[in-house]
Amino acid sequence: MAINAFYNEILTDHNLHPMHKYNLKDPNLILEGLNPSCGDDIVLQLKMDDNGVIVDGSYNGDGCAVSMASADMMLDLVIGKHKDEAKRLADIFVRMIKKEATEEEIEELEEAGSLRDISHMPSRVKCAVLGWHTMEELVDKEPIKNPGEHSGEAVSTE
Amino acid sequence: MIDVNKVRADFPFFAATDLAYLDNSATSQNPKCVMDAEWQFYVDSNANPFRGIYELSERATSAYEHGRETVKDFIHAKSTKEIVFTRNASESLNLIAYSFAPMVLEEGDEILVSILEHHSNMLPWRMAAEKAGATVKYLEVDITGEVSAEMVAEALTPKTKIFAITQVSNIMGRENDIKTFAKLCHDNGTYIVCDGAQSVPHMPVDVQDLDVDFLAFSGHKMLSPMGIGVLYGKEEHLAAMPPFLTGGEMISTVSYDSMTYSELPHKFEAGTVNASGSVALEAAIKYIQSIGFEDIQARETMLCKRMLDGIKDIPHVTVLGSDKPEEHHGIITFKIDGVHPHDISAIFADNNVAVRAGHHCAQPLHICLGIPSTTRASVMFYNTEEEVDRFLDILSQIRGAMGYGD
Ligand SMILES: Cc1ncc(COP(=O)(O)O)c(C=O)c1O
């Protein structure tokens, strides 16, 4: 499509056919992420085992394609990984957007690397990092014993 | 008829860009004559108005007051005492909510606010209601944005002291029948506060004919620089109201423990005024008058018609408000099924078209309509058919660009 190269197939596909946009049955970590500038609002749900491995994850919410697709790509990448590894990848993602990541690092992000051009659109950066930022905050929280209870907390990109 | 190329030559902005600027209801561009007037004030009239007794200060005062005179004539106020300069419409509306509302509100009273309102004509009323122990009642609308006289008559109660409503909605572009509403209000013992931010730049407004108690508008939406706005208020109200801000210029005498206020309208203009803003606004009004509202409205309606006709052929696009172009006053707000407005406006931006996405400072309206956010394209008489066509061309490709098959 000539009118916009940024919204490539990877992005639109994750937006229209997300793999992880639903509610997990038994998450033990839940956090809402907000991006007031775009009105993006996601609820990230993770299931982490006693060793700190993210065994499953999902998100739900409303927002622009960039925020939704980016969260979907993020979950693709971090499910099955230890939280420290997930945070390391989030750090690469954020540095990619600041143009501070190496090609090798960007390769590690797999499909999420396709969002690198967002750095040309400063107003959309917050949308792209919303899911990642929410995940970074969430994995360091104490998993809840009683799954299903939403703490009501929220993080914001502001 | 407007020769658009000739008109555009008056605006330095267009020489410097090939952006299709379709966000005019957020702010408008300034013609060179307005910039020149502001510049000229600083060249030969710049002194602190009212404060010096030398000739230069008198020249500054007279330039400032001349602007007020022009505004008075423009909206057909009875006297310049009824014209208060502010920074913008928001400040004007806050002034009423702070100074006037407490005089008339009692505990248990109601303020009726249309759900169409910009936050600037909504939040001040919530604050005023809270302070007075009154309540805010919303007058709801559907996606057509229509507010009928019946709806107003039904919503007014014996407790309604103030009705706050916009003359033209910044989302729907639709004009409200303020004259009829004012009559209904006054028969009910209700004051009517009219937000003219989107009407005054686009149509003749006569405050005496409308018989509103207050009218607020901003210069920057009508070809002037940012930082100058107007509050019109009936003299009897302004005379009875306490000042909003205190300080220099708004008093006539101050002793150790007492003061007397200046005459209207200076009572409401504390501190050094925006004299060059008044001069620029005057130049903008003269410019608008030189083109004439008849031609301005004809052209803006023609551009809206072109947009609406084009949109009819694009599937999955829904326009808010009326289906008649003459009921849009330059404003076309829409949604595209399955595409978030921020993605829409980003694609437009990428293609050099400026439109606005979000809730446009009217979040309660979006809640009322059950639409999280929308995209708005707004034209002024200086926009071209070619710009509208560019807009339509991109609009028709957006769903495809977002991965939809149709
Ligand atoms: C209907 C309406 N009222 C009030 C305002 C506030 O104007 P300003 O920001 O100039 O105070 C606007 C502009 O955004 C508007 O569209």
Side-chain angles (χ1 to χ4, degrees):
Chain A
M1 203 59 181
I3 63 161
N4 198 287
F6 175 72
Y7 288 90
N8 56 40
E9 223 175 294
I10 302 174
L11 194 162
T12 58
D13 203 51
H14 274 278
N15 180 48
L16 294 186
H17 312 291
M19 292 283 292
H20 307 287
K21 194 172 180 183
Y22 63 95
N23 287 325
L24 274 192
K25 253 210 313 284
D26 50 356
N28 54 8
L29 285 167
I30 299 177
L31 188 63
E32 186 176 12
L34 298 169
N35 170 19
S37 66
C38 245
D40 305 324
D41 183 351
I42 68 165
V43 177
L44 187 62
Q45 310 168 21
L46 298 176
K47 187 170 162 63
M48 194 154 68
D49 71 11
D50 295 342
N51 301 318
V53 174
I54 299 166
V55 293
D56 208 352
S58 75
Y59 72 103
N60 234 325
D62 285 306
C64 65
V66 177
S67 66
M68 296 294 120
S70 183
D72 206 55
M73 294 176 197
M74 181 275 294
L75 283 166
D76 260 359
L77 200 61
V78 304
I79 291 172
K81 298 209 166 80
H82 189 270
K83 66 175 189 174
D84 291 340
E85 174 66 358
K87 286 200 292 188
R88 191 183 68 83
L89 292 165
D91 177 62
I92 294 175
F93 185 83
V94 171
R95 282 190 291 110
M96 172 184 81
I97 286 181
K98 292 188 194 153
K99 295 193 169 178
E100 289 167 5
T102 64
E103 286 303 319
E104 290 77 47
E105 287 177 318
I106 293 173
E107 208 132 286
E108 288 192 68
L109 296 178
E110 299 175 14
E111 286 189 325
S114 69
L115 291 170
R116 63 194 300 168
D117 289 339
I118 202 88
S119 49
H120 303 308
M121 307 164 84
S123 62
R124 308 309 298 283
V125 166
K126 284 180 182 167
C127 315
V129 299
L130 178 63
W132 300 78
H133 183 58
T134 309
M135 182 272 288
E136 279 182 299
E137 291 262 324
L138 182 55
V139 293
D140 281 336
K141 295 200 181 295
E142 196 56 40
I144 31 174
K145 299 269 154 17
N146 212 349
E149 254 177 49
H150 185 348
S151 69
E153 276 183 274
V155 292
S156 165
T157 54
E158 291 290 274
Chain B
M1 222 172 68
I2 292 174
D3 177 347
V4 72
N5 291 324
K6 206 166 141 256
V7 162
R8 281 167 84 87
D10 296 335
F11 290 76
F13 173 83
F14 297 116
T17 182
D18 58 358
L19 176 76
Y21 183 73
L22 302 180
D23 195 15
N24 292 285
S25 45
T27 201
S28 59
Q29 301 303 333
N30 295 5
K32 184 164 183 295
C33 62
V34 168
M35 299 177 186
D36 285 348
E38 189 179 27
W39 186 78
Q40 196 62 41
F41 173 84
Y42 281 109
V43 171
D44 62 22
S45 306
N46 186 33
N48 203 316
F50 308 109
R51 298 201 180 158
I53 48 168
Y54 44 90
E55 202 220 321
L56 185 65
S57 174
E58 279 160 13
R59 197 147 68 222
T61 308
S62 103
Y64 180 62
E65 290 302 319
H66 205 268
R68 196 191 310 275
E69 192 79 33
T70 302
V71 171
K72 178 210 107 190
D73 293 339
F74 184 55
I75 61 168
H76 305 274
K78 276 190 194 140
S79 119
T80 50
K81 290 183 183 165
E82 298 181 320
I83 306 296
V84 178
F85 281 125
T86 60
R87 283 185 302 131
N88 47 42
S90 302
E91 186 177 312
S92 302
L93 294 162
N94 273 277
L95 195 162
I96 316 166
Y98 271 92
S99 293
F100 178 73
M103 282 182 5
V104 299
L105 285 178
E106 282 166 27
E107 213 177 308
D109 280 345
E110 291 169 3
I111 304 176
L112 183 62
V113 178
S114 106
I115 201 75
L116 290 167
E117 297 318 295
H118 188 281
H119 294 162
S120 294
N121 198 25
M122 186 175 278
L123 302 184
W125 302 113
R126 288 206 209 166
M127 176 222 56
E130 198 172 315
K131 275 206 302 206
T135 51
V136 167
K137 243 179 70 178
Y138 294 112
L139 181 60
E140 294 187 331
V141 299
D142 62 17
I143 196 166
T144 66
E146 186 181 359
V147 180
S148 66
E150 293 72 45
M151 287 160 69
V152 175
E154 206 164 288
L156 290 170
T157 76
K159 289 181 180 164
T160 316
K161 289 287 160 65
I162 295 168
F163 179 31
I165 183 154
T166 190
Q167 187 167 16
V168 168
S169 153
N170 66 322
I171 309 285
M172 306 287 182
R174 194 167 191 147
E175 182 185 359
N176 289 311
D177 183 0
I178 297 297
K179 185 173 174 171
T180 301
F181 299 173
K183 172 124 190 22
L184 286 170
C185 282
H186 294 147
D187 290 347
N188 191 57
T190 304
Y191 300 100
I192 181 164
V193 175
C194 181
D195 178 351
Q198 299 294 351
S199 58
V200 175
H202 301 276
M203 61 177 66
V205 172
D206 180 331
V207 289
Q208 291 188 63
D209 180 53
L210 295 176
D211 196 26
V212 289
D213 294 287
F214 296 96
L215 176 82
F217 59 98
S218 291
H220 71 90
K221 292 185 198 285
M222 47 185 292
L223 317 183
S224 305
M226 298 176 188
I228 185 83
V230 174
L231 169 65
Y232 158 83
K234 284 184 179 170
E235 187 178 341
E236 61 197 90
H237 301 325
L238 293 177
M241 283 157 59
F244 173 42
L245 302 170
T246 56
E249 230 58 77
M250 49 70 63
I251 35 79
S252 56
T253 59
V254 185
S255 66
Y256 271 35
D257 52 13
S258 71
M259 59 183 181
T260 53
Y261 302 135
S262 303
E263 292 272 290
L264 285 178
H266 308 288
K267 181 168 92 176
F268 294 106
E269 295 179 355
T272 298
V273 298
N274 183 1
S276 69
S278 163
V279 169
L281 180 59
E282 170 170 15
I285 290 172
K286 294 266 159 68
Y287 182 83
I288 288 169
Q289 286 170 332
S290 75
I291 296 176
F293 274 124
E294 206 173 311
D295 282 0
I296 287 174
Q297 284 186 298
R299 184 161 176 86
E300 291 176 353
T301 298
M302 180 277 289
L303 292 170
C304 282
K305 180 170 186 323
R306 200 175 178 96
M307 275 205 220
L308 291 176
D309 286 349
I311 289 173
K312 273 192 205 118
D313 297 332
I314 305 173
H316 302 289
V317 179
T318 309
V319 174
L320 277 65
S322 169
D323 49 13
K324 297 194 187 78
E326 64 274 19
E327 288 179 0
H328 276 273
H329 301 95
I331 294 172
I332 304 288
T333 300
F334 60 94
K335 64 191 183 84
I336 306 180
D337 296 337
V339 188
H340 192 280
H342 281 97
D343 297 315
I344 299 171
S345 68
I347 293 175
F348 274 114
D350 227 32
N351 290 277
N352 225 0
V353 176
V355 298
R356 172 103 180 258
H359 48 66
H360 318 288
C361 301
Q363 220 164 354
L365 173 63
H366 284 82
I367 295 169
C368 172
L369 299 176
I371 305 170
S373 59
T374 50
T375 310
R376 178 182 72 190
S378 53
V379 294
M380 207 119 183
F381 61 86
Y382 49 53
N383 285 113
T384 64
E385 288 89 328
E386 184 268 332
E387 288 173 322
V388 168
D389 293 348
R390 250 160 84 191
F391 163 83
L392 290 168
D393 180 41
I394 295 158
L395 185 65
S396 69
Q397 298 181 63
I398 286 179
R399 271 188 49 107
M402 294 305 292
Y404 288 99
D406 60 345

